[in-house]
Amino acid sequence: MLAALTKWLSFVRFSHTVFALPFALAAMAIAARDNRGWPGWRAFGLILAAMVCARTCAMAFNRIVDRKFDALNPRTAGRHLPTGQVSLVGATTLCAVSGAGLIGASYLLNPLCFYLSPVALVAICFYSLTKRFTDYTHVFLGLALALAPIGAWLAVKGTAVSVLEITQMILLAAAVVLWLVGFDIIYALQDYEFDRAHGLHSLVVAWGPKNALQAAFLSHLVMCGLLLLFGLLCRFRVAYLVGWMFIVGCIVLEHWIARRRSLKWIDVAFFRLNAVVSAVFLVIVLAEVVFRGGFWLRWAPPGS
């Protein structure tokens, strides 16, 4: 049983959940900041279930529609579907069940999430098809990932969101999109020759590795600016600023690795550093929300 579970978790790259989930949990905490970031066990469990189901559905769908390309690519030929470790029927069943799980969790959260859940399913699965017809496939993946914090925010607040909160959600979603665009371009460097030979699209294929890396750096530069603006709108203070500077440092290191090291270092830049970015973001948001700005040093005159 443990071996089977490990196989299925590996099939959907469950470890990569660390990219979207921290942003979703951070958005959940901000939406519930009146209660120090805690929406209650029921809402928390349903949000967690919805996020896991959504990502599992999207990844299973990606593996299904890309299975023929994966079999031809030396980097991915050892994946579960090309090697027969997972059957097509099994993968399709997992995709359908996890999609139904997302809709079910959304139904239990609130009507708005339920009505939007089919739209979310289409959006997160559609990305897997975009590499066949557009160079901006990274943007579609970014939009799919950005639905996580928006969904978590709406799961807590429903339709009771203010104009300020909508602005905050849009800023955070835009930052997530640009963050994803930047690191997905770096990840796509590994498949540059294969994608070009097989007619698959990406900005790396369209612009070449050097120009694509410049676009990735610009994307991350704007992302850092949006995250800073987001923190200001949320009235975050010292903890957020310190964490933001750490995130900027991770982004700079990621691009240094992408430019100075061989392709075998891409996984370090792609997975480890970006996992740190999302985890740090969650930690600093929780610190600000839970302590309600308590990291701000207040000075009071003697005798006041």
Side-chain angles (χ1 to χ4, degrees):
M1 183 179 294
L2 181 60
L5 178 62
T6 301
K7 178 183 70 174
W8 285 104
L9 290 178
S10 176
F11 171 64
V12 296
R13 300 296 291 272
F14 187 78
S15 59
H16 285 193
T17 305
V18 296
F19 293 144
L21 188 59
F23 282 97
L25 295 179
M28 176 200 75
I30 297 170
R33 68 189 304 175
D34 290 341
N35 194 36
R36 290 188 179 270
W38 182 242
W41 282 108
R42 182 179 183 276
F44 173 74
L46 289 172
I47 290 171
L48 196 61
M51 294 298 121
V52 172
C53 285
R55 194 195 170 279
T56 300
C57 178
M59 183 56 74
F61 184 80
N62 177 268
R63 292 293 189 253
I64 292 168
V65 299
D66 279 357
R67 64 189 186 280
K68 293 181 180 179
F69 290 114
D70 286 344
L72 296 174
N73 189 339
R75 185 179 68 83
T76 58
R79 286 178 175 171
H80 298 76
L81 278 176
T83 58
Q85 300 174 61
V86 168
S87 69
L88 182 58
V89 173
T92 304
T93 301
L94 177 65
C95 183
V97 169
S98 55
L102 169 62
I103 294 176
S106 300
Y107 176 80
L108 295 174
L109 280 165
N110 58 57
L112 179 61
C113 288
F114 175 61
Y115 297 143
L116 292 177
S117 58
V119 178
L121 273 178
V122 171
I124 62 178
C125 291
F126 180 67
Y127 148 73
S128 298
L129 305 174
T130 56
K131 65 182 70 175
R132 292 159 173 79
F133 61 84
T134 177
D135 299 328
Y136 296 93
T137 178
H138 322 280
V139 177
F140 285 94
L141 180 56
L143 291 171
L145 198 73
L147 293 178
I150 292 177
W153 204 309
L154 295 178
V156 176
K157 298 301 288 282
T159 57
V161 288
S162 65
V163 174
L164 176 59
E165 286 181 305
I166 293 173
T167 304
Q168 292 167 341
M169 276 193 291
I170 292 174
L171 270 178
L172 181 57
V176 170
V177 170
L178 293 172
W179 173 58
L180 192 286
V181 167
F183 79 67
D184 194 54
I185 287 175
I186 294 174
Y187 188 72
L189 292 172
Q190 300 176 100
D191 295 326
Y192 170 60
E193 296 294 345
F194 178 84
D195 289 349
R196 189 172 63 169
H198 290 82
L200 295 175
H201 296 264
S202 74
L203 290 179
V204 179
V205 173
W207 296 349
K210 183 177 179 180
N211 291 333
L213 273 176
Q214 292 176 343
F217 183 74
L218 178 61
S219 179
H220 278 159
L221 187 66
V222 178
M223 164 253 185
C224 290
L226 291 179
L227 281 185
L228 182 59
L229 181 57
F230 173 77
L232 292 174
L233 281 181
C234 291
R235 302 187 305 279
F236 292 155
R237 295 172 176 174
V238 176
Y240 188 86
L241 182 59
V242 171
W244 176 82
M245 290 189 290
F246 188 84
I247 288 172
V248 172
C250 288
I251 295 297
V252 172
L253 179 58
E254 178 178 359
H255 284 272
W256 182 85
I257 290 175
R259 293 169 186 270
R260 301 294 182 181
R261 298 282 184 162
S262 63
L263 288 179
K264 68 181 181 180
W265 282 79
I266 290 296
D267 276 346
V268 175
F270 171 76
F271 183 76
R272 297 180 188 176
L273 285 174
N274 286 294
V276 169
V277 166
S278 57
V280 168
F281 181 78
L282 173 59
V283 169
I284 60 178
V285 166
L286 288 178
E288 291 285 358
V289 170
V290 171
F291 292 98
R292 294 180 177 173
F295 290 95
W296 182 259
L297 298 179
R298 297 181 177 88
W299 178 81
S304 61

